[in-house]
Amino acid sequence: MDSQTSQSSQASQSPHTPQTPHTFQVDLRGLVDLLSHHLYSSPKVYLRELLQNAVDAITARRAGEPDAPARVLLSAADGTLRVEDSGIGLTEADVHALLATIGRSSKRADGLREARSQFLGQFGIGLLACFVVAERIRVVSRSARTPDAPPVEWTARDDGSYTVRTLPQAERPDPGTTVYLTARPGAAEWLAPERVLTLARDFGSLLPYDVRVGEEQVTDLPAPWDRAYPSPATRRVALARHCHELFGFTPLDTIDLSVPLAGIRGVAYVLPSAVSPAQRAGHRVHLKGMLLTERAEQLLPDWAFFVRCVLDTDSLRPTASREALYEDETLAAVREALGERIRSWLTSLAAGDPERLAAFLSVHHLGVKSLARHDREMLRTMLPWLPFETTDGRLSLEEFAQRHPVVHFTRTVEEYRQVAPIASAQGVGVINGGYTYDSELVEALPSVRPGTVVAELDADTVTAHLDSVDASVELALSSFLAAARAKLDPLGCDVVLRAFHPLSVPALHLDDRTTRHEQARAEAEEQADELWAGILGSLRGSTPRARLVLNHLNPLVRRISALSDPELIGTATESLYGQALLMAQRPLRPADSALLNRAFITLLEWATHGEDEGR
């Protein structure tokens, strides 16, 4: 290789060799498919994009001409749609720079920056969304900024091709833009007059300009929550009607939502029936009058699941699809502010309208309990009102604490069902903490009511409140107790004898969560292979066993304790054990179900044995 060739080769491999730039190639049909199936939830957004472009164009023109006309006219017929606005319009250069370049927004163009904060759009997708329903888009526009420039026509097809030409002045005498859509096959329904009117009202009812579909007025200002009414009662009726039209229900109450610093005005409607906290609420959010979404889920704190909101804002940031809110610091601050409005409404009800508060809590106490878990002031305010299931009936924590020096509670509904009848008969007050948030609120009670003693009720506490039988009586029944204990020992249950009320309860099954966990571990160990049995065995604890408390005051228990046949004593004990489980509404293990079946069949055999001998 000669020197010249070598130098040439080295030069071609030099890292500093200039590179030829290339541009991305965009498949418009593929991009439209991406928009319709992944970015937008429905083809209906095409009309929002048209309205948005028209409103932004009017806003831009009015920035320099405050008295410029502000109207948007829509006309639909025979699979076509025409949208005309009196906005700022476009020159031929604008058309090439804006309409034919995907991703560039007219809001970035020179001369429009001063009105930037007033625009609805941010992402430059613009007319591209219309290809979701149209196979051809034709735009005729005349610029208000350059009055001498001729009108320009831009025609585009969904295959990515477009043409541009200038028109005579007579074709468009006034500034503004008209967009013509021709439906793609199978999409004509989206351009039908009735559908266009419905969508225009849905998206544009709060827009600040005159929007019409044919002769029908679309805009309806001021917003229902900003209108003047003859009286508060009239306002409540009007807002209730508005709620029914939007959400399909008549609200229990209406909460005004106003956050001036965030440019937010609206209302929250209180649902008339209870909903699950896990059910995500769908709120309607308008951005500068244009409907952004009907399903804003992150607008309110999670605890406020009992309301549905509709509001208008000029500060929240939309996502790229403009169908949801962008999660940022502004939205977090707005969420907290709106939550504070709802919290203040609850406080005002507690202070001045207890009847309305009681009606609200009868339906939505779960939401208020969720709030009170983290808000001690709200818990203090709601103490006289929040209902809890107790052995004294449905009471507030305040009333229950006044009746009982020690506030006992259970953590599960099953534990409460076990002990409630017995504890009540012994004068021990118990709160069912097994429902959502209840045990947390009971444990927080001393923080807002100093001096209150709160204690979790377990099997030992219940047993301690039951009267012991005389030692001589228990000694006389030792053989019976031994036989009963031997029968239940394989089930991990002890037998004790006590005297308690009500007399109608022959036996009480007591355990706690740790006992049940130990039982579950032991069962798993029995069914596991050698490796897992060893691991589970290492987890064995010294947990107290479950216990069957026999009521010596009950006549049936007295008769059973007088039996001499060990086998019959065992069967009777199994029957009492099964009946106690059923009374506690506890889920039965396979061994418990087998025991119940065996005891039932054995008792039938004993009952029919004497009759067979008599024959």
Side-chain angles (χ1 to χ4, degrees):
M1 181 181 294
D2 59 29
S3 174
Q4 184 175 2
T5 304
S6 176
Q7 292 175 1
S8 175
S9 175
Q10 292 175 4
S12 65
Q13 298 175 9
S14 171
H16 302 293
T17 303
Q19 301 293 315
T20 302
H22 300 278
T23 58
F24 286 100
Q25 301 299 311
V26 177
D27 181 350
L28 186 59
R29 284 180 174 169
L31 189 56
V32 169
D33 181 72
L34 178 67
L35 290 175
S36 60
H37 292 96
H38 300 283
L39 183 61
Y40 295 129
S41 61
S42 167
K44 69 180 182 181
V45 297
Y46 86 92
L47 192 64
R48 184 195 62 200
E49 294 292 341
L50 290 172
L51 288 175
Q52 182 169 289
N53 287 341
V55 169
D56 285 345
I58 294 173
T59 301
R61 183 177 180 184
R62 283 202 157 188
E65 302 178 54
D67 296 329
R71 64 178 182 275
V72 182
L73 303 178
L74 296 88
S75 178
D78 301 325
T80 64
L81 175 65
R82 185 186 76 225
V83 181
E84 181 178 1
D85 68 68
S86 59
I88 198 166
L90 301 171
T91 63
E92 183 176 1
D94 293 334
V95 166
H96 284 289
L98 302 174
L99 298 187
T101 305
I102 296 172
R104 178 177 296 174
S105 172
S106 63
K107 273 68 79 176
R108 300 187 182 94
D110 292 339
L112 302 186
R113 296 182 185 274
E114 65 276 7
R116 180 69 178 84
S117 64
Q118 299 301 317
F119 290 118
L120 303 175
Q122 299 182 40
F123 300 95
I125 296 175
L127 290 175
L128 188 63
C130 294
F131 281 119
V132 173
V133 298
E135 66 177 2
R136 185 167 69 97
I137 302 174
R138 176 172 171 254
V139 178
V140 177
S141 186
R142 182 172 182 177
S143 175
R145 289 182 298 166
T146 312
D148 296 336
V152 61
E153 178 191 70
W154 176 83
T155 304
R157 295 185 175 277
D158 60 0
D159 60 4
S161 63
Y162 72 93
T163 60
V164 178
R165 64 176 181 141
T166 58
L167 301 175
Q169 297 281 3
E171 289 283 338
R172 180 82 198 192
D174 299 319
T177 300
T178 304
V179 179
Y180 301 86
L181 300 187
T182 302
R184 64 168 56 244
E189 62 172 308
W190 292 104
L191 273 62
E194 298 81 6
R195 177 66 67 89
V196 169
L197 178 59
T198 299
L199 293 179
R201 283 176 171 165
D202 203 33
F203 284 119
S205 62
L206 300 184
L207 288 174
Y209 306 132
D210 182 15
V211 180
R212 297 175 182 269
V213 177
E215 299 298 323
E216 296 285 342
Q217 180 78 38
V218 169
T219 48
D220 186 20
L221 295 176
W225 51 85
D226 285 331
R227 295 173 188 169
Y229 296 95
S231 66
T234 305
R235 184 175 190 269
R236 283 197 297 270
V237 170
L239 290 179
R241 186 185 308 114
H242 177 247
C243 174
H244 196 274
E245 292 172 355
L246 287 185
F247 299 115
F249 66 85
T250 300
L252 277 179
D253 209 344
T254 301
I255 308 169
D256 284 308
L257 300 178
S258 177
V259 186
L261 291 178
I264 287 178
R265 288 283 300 162
V267 290
Y269 294 117
V270 181
L271 291 165
S273 56
V275 294
S276 167
Q279 181 177 331
R280 304 303 296 177
H283 307 293
R284 289 177 64 94
V285 178
H286 296 256
L287 180 60
K288 302 180 182 71
M290 181 73 74
L291 178 65
L292 180 70
T293 178
E294 300 172 281
R295 299 183 302 276
E297 296 181 350
Q298 69 274 47
L299 186 65
L300 295 180
D302 290 340
W303 55 262
F305 54 83
F306 50 84
V307 299
R308 295 292 180 269
C309 295
V310 53
L311 55 83
D312 188 26
T313 175
D314 59 16
S315 65
L316 297 179
R317 179 181 171 191
T319 59
S321 66
R322 291 191 284 275
E323 294 188 283
L325 296 173
Y326 189 82
E327 186 68 49
D328 57 12
E329 293 181 357
T330 302
L331 179 57
V334 166
R335 183 187 301 121
E336 179 62 29
L338 295 179
E340 182 58 37
R341 298 296 183 275
I342 298 174
R343 186 184 291 108
S344 298
W345 170 78
L346 285 170
T347 304
S348 65
L349 284 187
D353 200 339
E355 291 185 1
R356 284 172 65 198
L357 178 63
F360 165 76
L361 289 177
S362 68
V363 179
H364 295 300
H365 57 273
L366 200 58
V368 180
K369 287 181 177 180
S370 175
L371 169 60
R373 287 185 305 155
H374 308 293
D375 189 326
R376 291 293 177 260
E377 188 58 38
M378 181 56 64
L379 177 57
R380 184 179 291 106
T381 301
M382 290 295 155
L383 271 181
W385 308 103
L386 287 175
F388 288 77
E389 182 180 356
T390 79
T391 49
D392 294 350
R394 289 188 69 81
L395 298 176
S396 69
L397 288 181
E398 176 68 28
E399 187 174 358
F400 187 85
Q402 290 175 356
R403 295 185 181 186
H404 299 277
V406 178
V407 177
H408 288 102
F409 73 98
T410 63
R411 291 192 181 276
T412 68
V413 175
E414 289 78 11
E415 291 172 359
Y416 178 80
R417 288 170 177 166
Q418 287 183 70
V419 303
I422 308 304
S424 178
Q426 306 305 123
V428 179
V430 184
I431 296 176
N432 184 356
Y435 296 116
T436 308
Y437 312 132
D438 282 9
S439 61
E440 296 176 70
L441 294 177
V442 174
E443 289 182 298
L445 188 56
S447 67
V448 296
R449 196 177 188 275
T452 303
V453 179
V454 173
E456 183 176 355
L457 188 69
D458 55 21
D460 290 334
T461 304
V462 176
T463 305
H465 280 83
L466 303 180
D467 294 333
S468 299
V469 298
D470 187 85
S472 60
V473 174
E474 189 163 359
L475 181 61
L477 298 178
S478 58
S479 59
F480 160 72
L481 293 174
R485 287 165 182 157
K487 197 66 176 179
L488 297 186
D489 183 68
L491 297 174
C493 183
D494 291 333
V495 177
V496 297
L497 188 66
R498 293 289 187 272
F500 55 87
H501 293 273
L503 301 180
S504 58
V505 177
L508 176 66
H509 181 271
L510 293 177
D511 63 3
D512 51 32
R513 284 170 297 148
T514 52
T515 302
R516 292 195 292 274
H517 291 167
E518 176 61 20
Q519 289 176 342
R521 186 209 58 76
E523 292 177 1
E525 181 180 357
E526 292 178 359
Q527 301 173 6
D529 56 28
E530 184 176 351
L531 173 62
W532 282 108
I535 295 174
L536 292 169
S538 67
L539 300 176
R540 183 183 299 112
S542 58
T543 306
R545 288 152 58 93
R547 66 198 68 174
L548 181 68
V549 184
L550 300 179
N551 187 0
H552 188 249
L553 300 180
N554 180 267
L556 176 61
V557 172
R558 286 178 176 270
R559 288 196 295 270
I560 293 174
S561 64
L563 295 173
S564 58
D565 187 330
E567 185 176 350
L568 184 55
I569 290 175
T571 300
T573 302
E574 287 180 332
S575 300
L576 290 174
Y577 173 83
Q579 188 261 357
L581 285 179
L582 294 175
M583 289 297 294
Q585 301 185 37
R586 287 284 309 282
L588 300 180
R589 299 171 296 168
D592 297 330
S593 299
L595 175 146
L596 280 171
N597 290 332
R598 182 173 64 251
F600 178 72
I601 292 174
T602 303
L603 287 176
L604 285 179
E605 291 177 348
W606 277 94
T608 58
H609 180 68
E611 184 176 337
D612 290 341
E613 286 186 346
R615 291 177 182 175

